[in-house]
Amino acid sequence: MGASFSISPQLSQVLGAAEAVCVLTGAGVSAESGVPTFRDADGLWAKYNPYELATPQAFAANPDLVWSWYSWRRERVAAVQPNAGHVALAGFASMFPRFTLITQNVDNLHARAGSPEVHELHGNIEHSRCASCSLPYHGDAAPRSSIAQRCSCGGWIRPGVVWFGESLPERELLVAREAAANCALFLSIGTSGQVYPAAELPLIARHNGAYVVEINTEASAISEHMHECIALPSATVLPVLLDHTRALRNSSRSTSS
Ligand code: OAD
């Protein structure tokens, strides 16, 4: 793996002892798979205007443009592979009695890496639905065409993602807020912390006594709320944290038996 950085005694302690761990991921966790982020210098919002592509008004005004942009993104994420960060997070799921993985990403890479349960706050690009009757069109059922398609009811089929100005899925948000409020360790990974309500989750965790750690190559808008920030790529850091946790948990199991 080749990564060397030192895990702080506080983080090590909580990795070894935590009953409940909560993780929030953003676009940065998929950057090393080749999926562009949004707000980095080469990110999507540097090239495209979100108000022309990621709002209900934009879709109503130009369904073909919006559908073709999402088709392009869907093809792009289908062509890449989960990276070592996604794989490590899948491994974390069995390390703690309670582990909650929350993502703002729509790229499906956590599930493809083997994470058993992923709470998707902004939807999933693989899923589409009718904008009028809500009939779902999952996976291959979604038209691959770059031209927007009609549902059998006559409505437009739209990407199953959350657009600016839309509400997040209620149940996922509830699960996320509860997990943040009831964890011992919260990891905020690869997110700029600029989009709410996702960005409030680490703050909820901190307010309720969790140890809160950011893993991000740059400082984020919420770095100041962290107990510590690890300024390295997530595909480097997460496998090291997983190995460390495994070693701690195995040794405590063998001493208690
Ligand atoms: P952003 O593009 O805003 O932020 C990505 C973050 O990842 C930045 O803070 C980078 O420094 C960091 N980063 C880049 N490469 C990294 C790496 N290898 N390891 C760790 N960190 C890295 O993406 P999000 O915060 O996910 O919403 O954006 C939140 C939401 O804004 C998205 O879900 C999307 C967007 O508009 C909607 O489309 C509704």
Side-chain angles (χ1 to χ4, degrees), residues 78-252:
V80 304
Q81 298 305 319
N83 64 52
H86 297 110
V87 172
L89 286 172
F92 267 121
S94 58
M95 287 289 120
F96 308 97
R98 281 182 290 139
F99 179 78
T100 309
L101 178 58
I102 304 157
T103 190
Q104 298 164 89
N105 299 344
V106 299
D107 59 25
N108 213 29
L109 288 174
H110 286 304
R112 285 176 56 200
S115 279
E117 192 171 8
V118 188
H119 298 281
E120 293 169 323
L121 292 182
H122 294 167
N124 186 316
I125 204 163
E126 282 290 317
H127 299 173
S128 304
R129 67 173 185 277
C130 173
S132 299
C133 73
S134 297
L135 186 71
Y137 288 82
H138 289 338
D140 287 339
R144 296 282 159 185
S145 154
S146 62
I147 305 292
Q149 304 286 309
R150 299 274 189 183
C151 171
S152 50
C153 81
W156 289 112
I157 300 172
R158 57 160 287 174
V161 301
V162 175
W163 281 327
F164 289 103
E166 293 187 316
S167 303
L168 274 64
E170 229 169 85
R171 189 185 163 273
E172 300 305 306
L173 188 56
L174 186 71
V175 168
R177 284 184 170 140
E178 281 187 6
N182 292 293
C183 65
L185 172 65
F186 189 102
L187 301 177
S188 179
I189 307 172
T191 177
S192 60
Q194 294 190 45
V195 174
Y196 283 77
E200 80 187 10
L201 296 170
L203 284 55
I204 292 174
R206 173 126 198 192
H207 182 73
N208 285 279
Y211 193 68
V212 182
V213 177
E214 177 170 270
I215 300 168
N216 195 314
T217 45
E218 310 278 335
S220 77
I222 50 174
S223 295
E224 68 192 77
H225 300 287
M226 304 290 152
H227 287 102
E228 64 179 275
C229 294
I230 302 174
L232 287 168
S234 47
T236 301
V237 174
L238 289 167
V240 177
L241 293 187
L242 177 63
D243 282 352
H244 187 78
T245 305
R246 200 173 268 139
L248 288 170
R249 299 253 161 186
N250 285 344
S251 79
S252 73

Side-chain angles (χ1 to χ4, degrees), residues 56-97:
Q57 294 79 8
F59 186 59
N62 197 341
D64 286 348
L65 174 71
V66 173
W67 184 261
S68 64
W69 191 66
Y70 278 92
S71 296
W72 167 71
R73 284 182 58 200
R74 191 167 52 193
E75 273 162 32
R76 186 150 181 181
V77 298
V80 304
Q81 298 305 319
N83 64 52
H86 297 110
V87 172
L89 286 172
F92 267 121
S94 58
M95 287 289 120
F96 308 97

